[in-house]
Amino acid sequence: GRASASASASSSGSSASPGEESGGVDVAVDGVDDAFTTINDARHQLKFLVPNALSGCIIGKKGSNLERIRALSGAFIQANASGFAVHSHRHRFIIIAGDSMERCLHGLALLLRSVEEADKLRLLKANLEEDDPRLYLRQVIPGSCAGNIIGVRGGNLAKISRERGLSVFVEAKPLHASKVPFRIVSYAGSSVDQLVG
């Protein structure tokens, strides 16, 4: 999958436990192999920004959807409060962590299916007023990994686009880049299957 290209390099710099000081929602499910005790100990992490309006269908009542996704995928999901990590009150920072990339990607697929089942995919569009029908998935990666994602002369981005039919771009460095340790990779596709395939 596209997200896996940068995910293993993506790690959290926070020392807080899941849900602790982060305003996050996390759940533990009996029977899931816990190779890590906190999200920071997970071998693999995927980090995304999602619109706040999707919070309800992602989290579920009292965390029930996060619990369901974890039970089905073995991936741990943390949904932080708006404004956490990215200082945007329009987005939430979502972390999907697990002991394998396959579990993380399965968790992502289930999370996006929840959005689809709630009939809220339109909220993943870049601009609700425009005619662009594509869905956008915004991944947060360490700034130091951006060059690996882009590749020589954009070769890696072109390869992903060619093989998966996605539009992929890395947002430009902010002017205050030395103070911002991450970059955003956006994936644009026509369906959930194309985004996570």
Side-chain angles (χ1 to χ4, degrees):
R2 274 109 357 260
S4 63
S6 64
S8 62
S10 179
S11 63
S12 175
S14 170
S15 61
S17 296
E20 181 182 303
E21 295 181 24
S22 67
V25 175
D26 55 66
V27 293
V29 178
D30 292 334
V32 172
D33 178 24
D34 285 329
F36 52 94
T37 56
T38 72
I39 203 164
N40 296 329
D41 296 331
R43 193 163 173 218
H44 300 277
Q45 291 187 1
L46 299 173
K47 299 175 182 181
F48 297 95
L49 294 178
V50 298
N52 256 346
L54 296 178
S55 299
C57 65
I58 288 173
I59 297 170
K61 190 172 185 175
K62 296 183 180 180
S64 61
N65 195 47
L66 297 181
E67 184 175 323
R68 180 186 70 83
I69 292 170
R70 182 162 186 202
L72 292 172
S73 70
F76 178 94
I77 300 181
Q78 180 173 311
N80 292 302
S82 68
F84 176 77
V86 293
H87 306 293
S88 168
H89 294 288
R90 294 181 314 200
H91 294 91
R92 283 198 182 228
F93 189 63
I94 304 289
I95 301 171
I96 303 172
D99 58 7
S100 71
M101 187 52 61
E102 290 75 25
R103 284 187 175 191
C104 292
L105 291 172
H106 187 204
L108 173 63
L110 291 170
L111 186 144
L112 291 174
R113 291 278 176 236
S114 298
V115 172
E116 186 174 45
E117 290 165 9
D119 197 27
K120 293 193 176 193
L121 282 179
R122 70 188 180 287
L123 297 175
L124 289 176
K125 290 184 172 188
N127 188 332
L128 297 178
E129 280 74 45
E130 291 184 14
D131 289 334
D132 183 357
R134 296 178 300 171
L135 307 173
Y136 286 79
L137 187 59
R138 298 178 71 208
Q139 184 179 15
V140 180
I141 64 167
S144 60
C145 295
N148 292 335
I149 301 300
I150 296 168
V152 176
R153 295 187 195 137
N156 291 345
L157 294 180
K159 181 180 178 184
I160 294 169
S161 295
R162 191 173 51 253
E163 290 177 357
R164 301 293 186 175
L166 292 170
S167 295
V168 184
F169 53 94
V170 178
E171 292 182 13
K173 286 182 188 177
L175 294 175
H176 57 289
S178 63
K179 297 179 183 176
V180 180
F182 61 84
R183 299 279 292 275
I184 306 291
V185 179
S186 292
Y187 305 93
S190 60
S191 66
V192 169
D193 289 333
Q194 193 177 35
L195 288 173
V196 296

